[in-house]
Amino acid sequence: MFDLTLAVNSSVPRSQLGIALSAYAPPEGQSSFDATLSGDTTSETLVSDTQTVPLDSLPTDSSGDVEVQTGITSGDATAAPATFDLDLQCAPENCGGVYPLRVQLMNTATGTVVVDFVTHIVFVESQVRSRLQVALTVPLGTEPSEPSNTGVPGPPTGSGLSRLQTLVGALTNSTAPLTILAQPETLQALRGGPDEARSVADGIEVLSDEAAIDVLPSTYVWVDPTALVDSGLSSELGFQTQRGSQVMAAAGIQTSGSTSVVEGSLDEQTLQALSSNGTSQVVVSSNDVNAVSGRFAGPSVQTFDLPVGHGKTVEAAQTDPALESELADSQGAGSVLAAHQLLADLALVAFEEPEALWARGVVLSPPLNWSPAPMFLSTLLSGLAAIPVLEPDTLSSFFDQVSRGNDDGNPDNGNGWPSTRHLANTQKGTASSLPAAEVGDARNRLDGLESVVHAAGDLTPLGDQLLSAESALLSTQQQLATISELDQVIASRADVVSLSAIHTIRLTARTATIPITLVRLVPYPVTVVVDLSSDKLAFLHGTNPQPVTLIQRVQSVDVDVSARTSGDFPVVVSVKSPVGGLVIVSAKFTVRSLSTSLVAILLTVVAAVVLLVWWARTLVTGRRGRRARRSHGAHSAGRHVDATAAGARAGASGPAP
């Protein structure tokens, strides 16, 4: 018997409506099946159909929805009489499979189709030798919110909280084994919220105690590990893992396994980093591993090893794009129908090897922001538990039970799948939107603050805020805004020391000791580094830079210097953190050097001597010149007198006039 419940809503009068069914032979291959999901059965073989049955003649349930009961005849088994009868036209013991079923709402007055859709009949014969393991992971988390005044993340509200309530409620009512991927930051926020939020956290804690449910270890917030590693922030992945474990333990959540479900791309460097942080199994996208030529269509149903170097490997399982699309109802079928289509696709994979002697399985890993309709999730979970060819499982059990590939290089051997595969991305991935430089700088400043205040203040909330900024659920702008807010808090918390108000230093000797006065602004000891910078000073005896622990409120630090010149010149005094390069306070001082060096004195003496010699030589030379000029003048005057006398004598002896 195959039962359908239909909610009918049409502008055509109900008295003119009827239902007709058409069954088709099982699709041959994944592509043929995928076509039926969109209602295309043109390539399928019709095996049976029914007459149109008036809608008013069909029973309804308490909600007024129409119940369609269909008898299925298969092989040599004849169904009991029912309103609708379909014959699968199959041979005995050869009827197992997935049969597309077209459901048509007809206008009986005109004989036209009002609306139709395609669902599937999963027909399972009594003997089932090989069941498909199905590991469903359900993410429980929201994007990080702004922290409260106490530094604790703000609890989810509105649609975020409502989504978590719906998911937790559906999982609580399910008996199917499954795996929960809970975000520690969200659990922490729920615990610190009002009663409504705390009840969701209590529900997750109860689920973690269930034997049929695994809760995976997780980073503090969900991150893109490849973005961190390829940006040189591998250490952040370690901080995320460590803090995630602490928060889960504090929330009373029991985690199991060591599997990482990778969101985004994966390369070799990131796989090595995950392995170093304790990951022994990974769930990866089909886009991240090299394709193989398996014997069957659809997803890989065997696990495999991924090399991580040095002879080590990590066991892996591959997700399938078609199944992931159906998880998100990308085909737009609607909640219940979409769940049935996904279940039919899983059954199709199971029927590919009905006689397999090895365990097969697939992992269903929805996106981190998955928000399924309640009816979708409840239908999926109940179907996983009810369909005989499917066996729901936790991820831990999945990796324990599903056989690894063992084709020994030949797809006709073993189970047809290789035991070892390789990542498609062997080199570092392309640049991500993660503001890596800002994250790195913020980590340095936070480390610097911690080295200053030691255990005097709890910096865990600030560390959590930085980890939250790395969330894969945040946009780049949101990440930068979170880091900017963190920087402001760090600057405020780092305001622990001030410099004295007097910023003039006098030096009366070439070498001297400069006292730098520090004022501690907080009631607890702090450790800082005093660092002076000037191209006019040489710093002596290893006193600059100089670490100092401030125990007293006012404390002086002595720095030995040697002045390279006299006069006024600037010196920058900075108070920094011991690590991380966090500048707490910085000011420009003026050094007034009144000292004169020996070299300067010698130069002055030499200059004076040279000047005196020059003066002396000038004086002596000047005197000699004056004497010479006087002597020359006298000699010239004598000659003039003699000449006059001679003329006089000559005149006296001449003829008389």
Side-chain angles (χ1 to χ4, degrees), residues 201-445:
D202 292 339
I204 298 174
E205 182 180 357
V206 170
L207 288 171
S208 74
D209 294 332
E210 295 290 336
I213 293 179
D214 275 356
V215 178
L216 289 182
S218 174
T219 51
Y220 178 69
V221 295
W222 295 327
V223 298
D224 180 346
T226 302
L228 289 174
V229 174
D230 290 355
S231 299
L233 298 173
S234 297
S235 58
E236 291 300 310
L237 192 58
F239 294 145
Q240 287 277 0
T241 302
Q242 181 181 18
R243 184 57 179 152
S245 297
Q246 293 172 349
V247 172
M248 292 287 243
I253 303 299
Q254 299 184 38
T255 61
S256 56
S258 55
T259 303
S260 291
V261 179
V262 179
E263 180 77 7
S265 63
L266 180 67
D267 57 29
E268 290 184 351
Q269 294 82 2
T270 306
L271 186 60
Q272 292 172 4
L274 290 172
S275 177
S276 299
N277 280 284
T279 294
S280 59
Q281 292 106 17
V282 292
V283 176
V284 299
S285 167
S286 60
N287 296 327
D288 289 331
V289 289
N290 288 329
V292 296
S293 54
R295 294 183 294 174
F296 306 99
S300 170
V301 292
Q302 312 299 155
T303 62
F304 50 90
D305 289 332
L306 286 173
V308 293
H310 307 291
K312 296 182 179 180
T313 59
V314 169
E315 189 177 7
Q318 168 192 341
T319 61
D320 178 70
L323 297 177
E324 302 296 291
S325 175
E326 291 159 21
L327 266 174
D329 190 16
S330 299
Q331 67 273 23
S335 59
V336 176
L337 179 58
H340 278 291
Q341 291 178 339
L342 174 56
L343 291 167
D345 202 351
L346 292 170
L348 181 71
V349 177
F351 281 123
E352 288 176 343
E353 296 179 276
E355 303 297 326
L357 300 178
W358 45 82
R360 302 165 298 139
V362 296
V363 176
L364 300 180
S365 179
L368 296 176
N369 58 355
W370 192 43
S371 183
M375 288 299 294
F376 175 94
L377 188 54
S378 60
T379 301
L380 175 61
L381 292 173
S382 61
L384 289 174
I387 298 177
V389 292
L390 304 179
E391 184 171 350
D393 217 339
T394 64
L395 266 180
S396 297
S397 180
F398 178 92
F399 279 105
D400 288 340
Q401 296 187 40
V402 173
S403 304
R404 298 193 188 190
N406 62 352
D407 68 352
D408 295 325
N410 185 344
D412 292 328
N413 293 332
N415 54 34
W417 297 94
S419 59
T420 301
R421 297 174 67 180
H422 296 274
L423 290 172
N425 302 318
T426 58
Q427 303 298 321
K428 287 188 176 183
T430 57
S432 71
S433 59
L434 179 73
E438 289 78 3
V439 170
D441 291 344
R443 175 61 66 184
N444 287 336
R445 289 190 289 271

Side-chain angles (χ1 to χ4, degrees), residues 165-208:
Q165 290 173 322
T166 299
L167 287 171
V168 172
L171 299 180
T172 302
N173 295 326
S174 172
T175 59
L178 51 85
T179 301
I180 292 176
L181 182 60
Q183 182 174 242
E185 188 271 350
T186 301
L187 285 166
Q188 184 183 31
L190 291 169
R191 284 290 183 209
D195 292 344
E196 188 179 20
R198 287 197 299 271
S199 66
V200 176
D202 292 339
I204 298 174
E205 182 180 357
V206 170
L207 288 171
S208 74

Side-chain angles (χ1 to χ4, degrees), residues 4-7 14 58-68:
L4 279 174
T5 301
L6 304 176
R14 194 176 183 89
L58 299 176
T60 58
D61 62 13
S62 58
S63 300
D65 295 335
V66 177
E67 295 181 347
V68 178

Side-chain angles (χ1 to χ4, degrees), residues 36-91:
T36 68
L37 297 181
S38 59
D40 183 6
T41 56
T42 55
S43 299
E44 310 307 320
T45 302
L46 179 66
V47 295
S48 182
D49 57 7
T50 69
Q51 298 293 322
T52 300
V53 177
L55 195 64
D56 286 342
S57 66
L58 299 176
T60 58
D61 62 13
S62 58
S63 300
D65 295 335
V66 177
E67 295 181 347
V68 178
Q69 297 178 334
T70 306
I72 305 294
T73 297
S74 61
D76 55 3
T78 302
T83 306
F84 296 89
D85 290 300
L86 292 172
D87 190 342
L88 300 183
Q89 302 291 330
C90 54

